[in-house]
Amino acid sequence: MSAWWVVLRKELLDAFRDRRMVIVALVVMPLAVPLILAGMSSLGTKRQVEKLERTLELPVIGAEHAPNLMAWLEAQDVRGVEPPADPDRAVRGQEFEVVLRIDATFGEDWRAGRPARLELIYDSSRPLQSGATIARIRGLLEAYDAQVGTLRLIARGIHPAVVQPLLVGSRDVATPESRFDLAQQMLPYLLLLLAFIGGMQLAIDATAGERERQSLEPLLATPATRAAIISGKILATAAFTLLSVLVTLVMYRLAFALVPAERVDMSLAVPVDALGLLLLVILPVVLLGATVLTALAAFARSHREAQGYLPLLIFLPMLPTLYLMVSPVKTQAWMLAVPFLGQNQLILRILRRESIGLAEWAISLGSGFVLVAIVWVLAARLYHREQLAASG
């Protein structure tokens, strides 16, 4: 039996004896991540639907100057309410999302056929809280403007098409699968983070922990080569991490299958075949994380020092997500060769049900496995240091 296989089995048996590690990696994290994302999606969808369908209470200053407008808005399920004394302060304080001010000269301008002045008071710094309400009010006012303008032209014997030299249509080619909410946009980062550092406890315990318990030196004294020993430890960490990621993806599919999406043009369920593709995409990240963690555990002088590298490791998968949030770009071939960035792009394309060519798969997987091999060699060299078995 190969030495690396013996080491792999030994490390996995030790890991599964640690109930706390198993519960955190295979129960807590796989449940927490999907439930949090599904809860965010469900809450966001519910609030969006409620805002669009409920009767909107709109504070109106000067409602008496435009009775016809107020009657039309009420027919559109918008009810005017008493305005605050200080509308600017009320909007900033989030007492109201938007306030409509009707100019005192509205009636005079209206009767004279001049543009009557309206003013929307809102806070653009809170698009998530008030964006839908502002868009709804603005859309209704624009519809009323177009309706009255058409009637005025007809009353003067002018066909409305005269003032519409262009008839612009729109066709949205987005599919329900390609429409994401904020919660789903976080999935690539969370998956990559879990794939990269999900086996940290096992990797550190397999090297730094065994060194402190004085059990690493007898292992290194066996006839097994150090390359075989570190290979077994890396593969054990990768297998444990991959199992955790698999359970997380299965729970993610189950959680989002329960999120009601009938009333929004969006598909939240993840098909079974997509789960296999997601595992394939993050496989290089799993191996890279296991190799980097094992190398850090071999480099660190203690268990505590190895854990001190955790903030840096958490930051690495975050970089592509932050970059794409600030500057969304079209996927290019060179991006697929960049660690984390390429996987981030492919995960989003899988979730959007977009096809991925063989060349793109080859670039992503090939560059990922090459990087894993390089780090693997560096980790193996660290394992050949004579001071590896010495603790402290």
Side-chain angles (χ1 to χ4, degrees):
M1 187 178 292
S2 300
W4 66 266
W5 176 251
V6 174
V7 175
L8 184 152
R9 289 185 58 191
K10 175 256 184 190
E11 296 299 342
L12 287 179
L13 287 174
D14 289 344
F16 280 100
R17 289 193 187 103
D18 189 340
R19 292 185 179 180
R20 184 172 59 180
M21 183 193 304
V22 171
I23 291 175
V24 171
L26 301 182
V27 178
V28 176
M29 289 301 295
L31 285 176
V33 172
L35 289 178
I36 290 175
L37 294 180
M40 291 174 59
S41 289
S42 179
L43 181 61
T45 301
K46 181 180 178 182
R47 291 189 61 184
Q48 179 182 3
V49 172
E50 286 180 351
K51 280 192 173 185
L52 293 176
E53 295 185 352
R54 71 182 181 186
T55 299
L56 178 61
E57 294 186 349
L58 176 65
V60 182
I61 302 173
E64 65 277 6
H65 303 309
N68 292 336
L69 172 60
M70 296 306 301
W72 186 86
L73 287 176
E74 188 169 351
Q76 309 304 316
D77 215 16
V78 177
R79 183 168 63 89
V81 298
E82 190 70 22
D86 188 345
D88 292 13
R89 183 176 180 179
V91 171
R92 290 196 193 99
Q94 302 184 59
E95 296 179 32
F96 299 102
E97 295 179 347
V98 60
V99 175
L100 175 63
R101 185 196 301 272
I102 300 177
D103 196 272
T105 62
F106 184 94
E108 179 182 345
D109 293 335
W110 185 270
R111 289 185 292 272
R114 297 189 297 267
R117 186 178 297 277
L118 299 174
E119 183 182 30
L120 287 177
I121 304 172
Y122 62 91
D123 186 352
S124 62
S125 65
R126 296 187 175 91
L128 295 179
Q129 293 91 335
S130 58
T133 302
I134 296 170
R136 180 180 175 184
I137 293 298
R138 192 185 295 276
L140 289 174
L141 293 177
E142 290 175 352
Y144 184 72
D145 174 61
Q147 177 180 319
V148 174
T150 298
L151 292 175
R152 286 182 176 181
L153 290 173
I154 294 175
R156 289 165 174 77
I158 302 174
H159 196 281
V162 173
V163 295
Q164 290 182 324
L166 295 178
L167 184 60
V168 181
S170 60
R171 183 162 58 94
D172 188 359
V173 299
T175 62
E177 293 83 6
S178 65
R179 294 186 176 94
F180 284 166
D181 61 3
L182 181 61
Q184 289 176 300
Q185 291 176 1
M186 294 173 60
L187 179 63
Y189 166 68
L190 295 175
L191 274 182
L192 292 175
L193 179 63
L194 181 59
F196 191 57
I197 66 170
M200 184 171 188
Q201 187 62 34
L202 191 155
I204 293 177
D205 187 73
T207 298
E210 287 191 356
R211 183 167 50 206
E212 291 183 353
R213 295 192 298 269
Q214 303 296 324
S215 59
L216 182 60
E217 186 173 3
L219 179 61
L220 297 176
T222 62
T225 63
R226 297 201 176 190
I229 293 175
I230 191 174
S231 297
K233 291 180 179 292
I234 289 175
L235 291 176
T237 302
F240 191 81
T241 303
L242 198 61
L243 178 60
S244 177
V245 172
L246 175 60
V247 177
T248 301
L249 286 175
V250 171
M251 293 306 302
Y252 174 85
R253 185 182 189 281
L254 294 177
F256 272 87
L258 301 177
V259 176
E262 312 85 31
R263 304 172 75 180
V264 293
D265 192 11
M266 182 186 303
S267 176
L268 301 178
V270 181
V272 176
D273 58 339
L275 298 183
L277 294 177
L278 290 174
L279 282 177
L280 182 60
V281 168
I282 64 177
L283 179 59
V285 179
V286 171
L287 292 172
L288 178 62
T291 309
V292 170
L293 291 171
T294 303
L296 288 177
F299 176 77
R301 289 170 294 183
S302 65
H303 193 286
R304 179 174 297 180
E305 181 183 342
Q307 289 180 324
Y309 295 111
L310 182 59
L312 176 62
L313 297 178
I314 292 177
F315 183 71
L316 289 178
M318 190 186 302
L319 291 176
T321 303
L322 295 177
Y323 172 72
L324 293 175
M325 288 178 62
V326 175
S327 179
V329 293
K330 179 182 178 180
T331 303
Q332 300 181 30
W334 66 267
M335 295 180 181
L336 301 177
V338 179
F340 303 114
L341 177 60
Q343 285 80 14
N344 193 301
Q345 294 282 56
L346 290 184
I347 290 173
L348 288 175
R349 291 178 62 178
I350 291 172
L351 294 176
R352 292 166 62 94
R353 315 289 203 278
E354 296 179 359
S355 60
I356 302 175
L358 291 177
E360 294 172 313
W361 279 111
I363 293 173
S364 177
L365 296 177
S367 60
F369 289 136
V370 167
L371 180 59
V372 169
I374 294 174
V375 180
W376 200 307
V377 171
L378 296 176
R381 293 187 63 179
L382 288 173
Y383 249 67
H384 280 84
R385 296 186 308 161
E386 292 300 325
Q387 63 269 35
L388 176 66
S391 61

